[in-house]
């Protein structure tokens, strides 16, 4: 070991003091900074309030179109055409969210999920109207990948040019739904980011509400422990419908699940109705379908009554300007 | 061919087979699309290929069942391969062997210079694997393949599926989430790009969670870390498949020839020896230990070693494993006594755990245990993360065999993926039609045109009325009925008048189970809004695979033996 000059030792000492000083200052600073950040953990603030996606009414055009015929694709085409064409609802600046029912791991024939041809045709019409992008998504009950694949919707929508988004729990935002029953719930981001929203439910039987139609389909935009909603199902349906306010409702009733809903299983529960209903009034669609195929009246369906009281639409569907088309 | 060339070829072969293994394991999942509406969803690749070509799996299940299931015949070519190249499989193909090789090549204080040479010399404890093999096979003969927990491919598939891949998934997702939050500006596109690539390749859509993952993961890590002390300790001392190939290798053609006259005693041939088989001149070459890694050939600067195909052993060669008679007898006895000892516990027969819910298509428990090799392929493929390695639900013997945990995931009626991937028929292959069953078809005159077929049941749902909202608290719910996937639904609702806390009466729908329709899929238990202990739960009672575990008297047929 070589002897060191005294000033070298001094320099070493000073350097050491500096290092220790810097390290202490850093530690104290970081500690103080992190200490100041200490707060009781809270849920992230709720953001992104609901918007009304509806377009202006037009007295010259029908408010509801009931199209009947064998080809689901044609039914959608003609019905949309009749209600003013897709360009009435979708323009070049729009990001359109199409929300079918993809809740269950069932094939299209079992009528537990929306008809893929209906979804695909809507995608094509939106793109033809110049939409910037079209997103198809739903928060499934069964495994999402399987539901999206088996229903045929993922494939059909992709081929028509849509972006198919699997519902990822990490892509939910906490939103204050401002309902009487539903407060802050996680909502799927693509829904919050969309400028136009088209609800594409399928008509099905349901043991609690009798039917599950358009407004109940909004269960599929939220995450969380949804199975609690059934305790006040009518109120939660209406809270969601008030939050969602779609541009259009396109009810798929080509195949109707008459029994054993909403999961179905087997084709013997399914009846051919060859119908698509398009309307700007989400309440009227539900009232019409409940009456048409289950003979359920408004007094039996509390969610319809509540929805009308909230001003979401009219249960008296006969008062709407309605066209019935045979396609 | 020169030693270095052979060594490179071996490395290429190891990488190829390892990548093939990982690819098949990653594709052991829901294929992402349905070929045609109504058709059964099938795994598109032979994802269980490695397990189905494993000679030990074939031999052990052949001993336990006196048959070979489905594709297990593919193991025969691999036995023939061993008759030609001995343990070449271990050195060139085995994915677990390659992992050990890789970790064993890392620098380690325990294996430096003379210590490394000493560590690579043959050791008597390397015989242990032959005794392991003996126990495994004797137990198989007695009807349990629980010993295949130690089969290298079963070990690797299970560890990767239930621990390594979920860990990787969690870590990558967390890193990506973290990277997304960074103030990167336009560089964020890069993060999204990486995320897209990972999503398409290794990441699963939902983070998998497995019972026993910690134990399985730690064991895997431990076995890998052992390589830092002794290169390929697992392959040298434990691996029963290696032992089996070692026994077979005595007839194989490949022989190491030592040219003593060229040897200048530099000992480099011991530097990278994988098997601990003493290629060095002056010692006896242990053929049954050699993985044919070719390292000794490449390392010898004098060309003093060569492999020949003559089949004629060199001067210093021992073709058979070195075994001690006493140890062989001990392991025979251990196997023969061990299994009955395990079976005297309550596991298999006496009082089955009610939560031992086996995958759909599983054979009766006794036969299940003589088939299930605990590879975990069924757990990997299940799209609902429903299948988990058991702890003691099936007795000690059933460790890490699959058990369905409905609270985490239920059994989707139109999914048969686990039945497709099971290599040994513990879960017997089944179609969706068989799984769902069918009602009897009646002619107009009321006679049975086609008899109905019962669905495959894995259990039955029961209500805990003390926790069920409409039963215990007079609150409307019906979620279990909504989720019930059978048609007609096995859960039915009966309106009932209840009085609430304020004394008012109201009507709620209370759920019941029709056991003849219930398949035990567990969707009700999964969806029940009562978190923690659910108000509706499945037990194995009524499972199709068991004659004994029944509680309903069968209709229209004389009572069978119970």
């Amino acid at each position: 070991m070589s002897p060191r000059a005294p000033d070298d030792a001094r320099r070493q000492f000073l350097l050491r003091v500096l290092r220790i000083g810097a390290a202490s200052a850093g530690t104290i600073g970081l500690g103080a900074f992190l200490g100041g950040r200490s707060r009781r953990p809270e849920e992230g603030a709720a953001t992104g309030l609901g918007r009304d996606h509806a377009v202006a009414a037009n007295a010259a055009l029908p408010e509801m179109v009931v199209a009947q015929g064998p080809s689901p694709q044609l039914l959608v085409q003609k019905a949309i055409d009749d209600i003013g064409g897709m360009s009435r609802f979708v323009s070049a600046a729009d990001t359109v969210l199409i929300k079918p029912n993809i809740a269950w791991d069932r094939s299209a024939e079992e009528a537990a999920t929306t008809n893929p041809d209906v979804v695909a045709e809507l995608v094509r019409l939106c793109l033809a109207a110049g939409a910037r992008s079209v997103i198809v998504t739903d928060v499934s009950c069964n495994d999402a990948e399987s539901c999206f694949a088996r229903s045929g919707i993922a494939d059909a929508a992709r081929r028509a040019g849509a972006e198919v988004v699997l519902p990822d729990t990490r892509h939910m935002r906490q939103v204050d739904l401002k309902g009487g029953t539903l407060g802050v719930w996680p909502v799927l981001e693509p829904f919050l980011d969309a400028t136009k929203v088209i609800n594409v439910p399928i008509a099905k039987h349901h043991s609690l509400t009798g039917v599950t139609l358009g407004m109940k389909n909004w269960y599929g935009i939220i995450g969380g422990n949804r199975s609690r909603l059934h305790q006040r199902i009518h109120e939660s349906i209406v809270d969601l419908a008030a939050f969602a306010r779609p541009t259009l409702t396109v009810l798929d009733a080509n195949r109707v699940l008459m029994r054993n809903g909403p999961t179905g299983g087997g084709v013997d529960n399914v009846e051919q109705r060859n119908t698509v209903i398009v309307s700007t009034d989400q309440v009227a669609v539900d009232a019409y379908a409940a009456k048409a195929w289950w003979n359920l009246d408004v007094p039996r369906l509390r969610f319809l009554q509540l929805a009308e009281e909230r001003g979401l639409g009219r249960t008296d569907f006969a008062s709407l300007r309605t066209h019935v088309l045979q396609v | 061919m020169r030693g270095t060339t052979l060594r490179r070829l071996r490395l290429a072969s190891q990488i190829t087979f390892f990548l093939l293994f990982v690819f098949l394991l990653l594709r052991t999942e829901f294929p992402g699309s349905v070929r045609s509406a109504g058709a059964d969803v099938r795994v598109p690749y032979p994802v269980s290929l490695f397990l189905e070509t494993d000679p030990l799996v074939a031999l052990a299940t052949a001993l336990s069942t006196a048959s070979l299931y489905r594709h297990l015949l593919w193991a025969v070519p691999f036995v023939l391969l061993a008759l030609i190249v001995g343990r070449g499989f271990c050195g060139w193909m085995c994915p677990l062997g390659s992992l050990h090789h890789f970790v064993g090549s890392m620098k380690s204080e325990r294996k430096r210079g003379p210590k490394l040479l000493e560590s690579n010399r043959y050791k008597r404890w390397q015989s242990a694997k032959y005794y392991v093999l003996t126990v495994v096979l004797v137990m198989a003969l007695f009807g349990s393949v629980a010993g295949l927990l130690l089969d290298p491919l079963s070990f690797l598939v299970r560890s990767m599926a239930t621990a390594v891949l979920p860990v990787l998934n969690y870590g990558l997702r967390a890193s990506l989430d973290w990277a997304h939050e960074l103030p990167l500006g336009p560089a964020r596109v890069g993060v999204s790009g990486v995320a897209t690539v990972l999503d398409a390749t290794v990441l699963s859509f939902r983070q998998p969670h497995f019972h026993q993952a910690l134990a399985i993961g730690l064991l895997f890590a431990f076995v890998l870390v052992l390589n830092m002390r002794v290169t390929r300790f697992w392959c040298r001392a434990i691996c029963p498949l290696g032992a089996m190939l070692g026994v077979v290798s005595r007839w194989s053609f490949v022989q190491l020839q030592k040219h003593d006259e060229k040897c200048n005693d530099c000992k480099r041939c011991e530097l990278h020896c994988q098997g601990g088989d003493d290629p060095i001149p002056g010692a006896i070459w242990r053929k049954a230990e050699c993985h044919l890694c070719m390292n000794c050939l490449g390392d010898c600067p004098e060309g003093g070693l060569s492999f020949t195909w003559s089949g004629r052993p060199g001067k210093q060669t021992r073709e058979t494993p070195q075994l001690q008679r006493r140890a062989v007898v001990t392991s025979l006895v251990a196997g023969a006594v061990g299994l009955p000892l395990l079976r005297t516990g309550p596991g298999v027969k006496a009082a089955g755990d009610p939560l031992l819910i086996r995958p759909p298509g599983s054979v009766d428990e006794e036969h299940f245990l003589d088939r299930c090799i605990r590879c975990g392929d069924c757990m990997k493929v299940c799209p609902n993360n429903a299948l988990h390695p058991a702890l003691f639900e099936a007795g000690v013997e059933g460790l890490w065999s699959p058990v369905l945990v409905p609270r985490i995931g239920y059994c989707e009626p139109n999914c048969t993926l686990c039945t497709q991937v099971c290599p040994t028929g513990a879960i017997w292959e089944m179609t969706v039609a068989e799984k769902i069953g069918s009602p009897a078809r009646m002619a107009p005159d009321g006679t049975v045109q086609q008899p109905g077929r019962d669905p495959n049941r894995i259990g039955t749902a029961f209500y805990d009325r003390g926790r069920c909202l409409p039963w215990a608290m007079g609150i409307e719910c019906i979620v279990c009925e909504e989720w019930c996937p059978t048609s007609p639904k096995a859960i039915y609702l009966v309106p009932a008048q209840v009085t609430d806390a304020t004394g008012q009466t109201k009507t709620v729908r209370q759920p019941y189970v029709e056991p003849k329709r219930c398949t035990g899929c567990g969707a009700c238990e999964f969806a029940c809004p009562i978190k923690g202990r659910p108000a509706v739960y499945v037990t194995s009672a009524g499972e199709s695979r068991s004659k004994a575990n029944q509680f309903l008297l069968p209709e229209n047929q004389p009572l069978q033996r119970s």
Side-chain angles (χ1 to χ4, degrees), chain B residues 96-111:
Chain B
L96 183 61
S98 302
L99 264 187
H100 286 310
H101 193 150
F102 178 68
V103 179
S105 311
M106 290 178 180
K107 287 204 162 39
S108 156
E109 270 311 305
R110 296 269 170 183
K111 302 184 303 188

Side-chain angles (χ1 to χ4, degrees), chain B residues 199-473:
Chain B
D199 270 333
T201 50
V202 291
L203 290 184
S204 44
F205 171 61
R206 263 193 327 203
Q207 171 67 36
H209 301 273
F210 287 103
H211 282 195
Q212 304 296 314
L214 182 66
I216 291 170
L218 285 179
L219 179 65
F220 184 63
F222 174 70
V223 166
L224 284 186
V225 169
L226 278 180
N227 287 296
M228 307 301 277
R229 290 212 163 204
V230 181
T231 299
R232 294 187 73 156
F233 179 80
W234 167 280
C235 312
R236 291 185 192 180
I238 299 170
C239 183
L241 175 60
M244 180 181 167
L245 298 177
V247 172
V248 174
S249 74
R250 65 177 296 180
W251 295 288
S252 73
F253 290 97
V254 178
Q255 299 284 356
L256 181 71
Q257 307 293 337
K258 302 178 182 181
H259 311 290
D260 291 10
E261 70 286 357
K262 294 190 185 167
C263 179
N264 58 13
D265 206 25
C266 70
K267 297 194 172 69
R268 285 186 201 179
C269 52
E270 298 277 13
L271 274 179
H272 302 108
C273 179
Q274 295 295 307
D277 49 276
D278 284 351
I280 193 164
I284 295 168
W285 179 57
R286 315 266 171 175
K287 192 176 172 189
E289 308 299 317
C290 176
H291 302 173
L292 280 104
C293 70
M294 304 293 160
N295 279 342
C296 54
L297 264 63
D299 284 336
C300 181
E302 308 298 326
L305 295 168
S306 63
F307 278 99
T308 58
W309 290 94
S310 64
R312 185 178 306 165
K315 286 181 300 254
Q316 309 145 337
T317 295
R318 185 189 168 94
E319 294 202 281
T320 51
Q322 189 166 355
L323 300 177
Q324 286 175 294
R325 187 174 300 154
R326 262 182 221 179
V328 173
V329 172
T330 307
S331 48
L332 282 170
V333 172
V337 174
L339 185 73
L341 187 60
L342 286 172
R343 292 258 163 117
T344 49
V348 184
K349 277 199 164 163
D353 188 318
L355 297 184
L356 178 63
I357 302 165
R358 292 292 194 192
S362 294
V363 294
D364 193 12
E365 187 63 15
E366 205 174 324
H367 296 113
F368 192 88
L369 291 171
D370 66 27
R371 289 177 179 274
C372 177
I373 59 169
R374 285 82 161 149
C375 64
D377 247 9
C378 53
M379 306 167 200
K380 174 74 182 76
V381 83
C382 179
N384 281 354
N385 196 187
L387 298 173
H388 296 260
L391 185 57
F392 299 136
E393 290 92 328
V396 178
E397 186 195 344
L399 182 73
W400 295 345
S401 59
V403 58
L404 193 131
V405 183
R407 272 267 97 160
I408 300 176
Y410 56 95
C411 183
E412 183 61 50
N414 51 22
C415 170
T416 57
L417 293 175
C418 59
T419 79
Q420 293 170 36
V421 301
C422 180
T424 56
I427 311 172
W428 204 274
E429 192 171 2
M430 188 168 57
T431 63
V432 171
E434 285 172 303
K435 186 174 174 188
I436 295 177
S438 56
R441 209 172 330 132
M442 308 297 253
D445 60 359
T447 56
V448 177
Q449 210 166 34
Q450 197 185 331
R453 209 165 40 183
D454 271 353
N456 183 275
R457 294 176 217 283
I458 54 177
T460 308
F462 296 87
Y463 278 93
D464 182 345
R465 289 187 179 175
R467 293 176 70 81
C468 177
L469 295 177
W471 281 107
M473 301 163 202

Side-chain angles (χ1 to χ4, degrees), chain A residues 229-268:
Chain A
L229 302 185
H230 294 70
Q231 294 162 34
R232 280 154 79 189
I233 195 162
H234 297 282
E235 291 82 352
S236 42
I237 287 176
V238 176
D239 279 353
L240 279 168
F243 170 76
R245 293 181 193 262
T247 314
L248 265 183
T249 301
V250 180
L251 179 73
D252 163 32
N254 289 287
R255 304 183 188 97
V256 176
L257 186 62
M258 299 302 292
R259 294 169 291 278
N260 219 53
T263 52
V267 289
D268 44 343

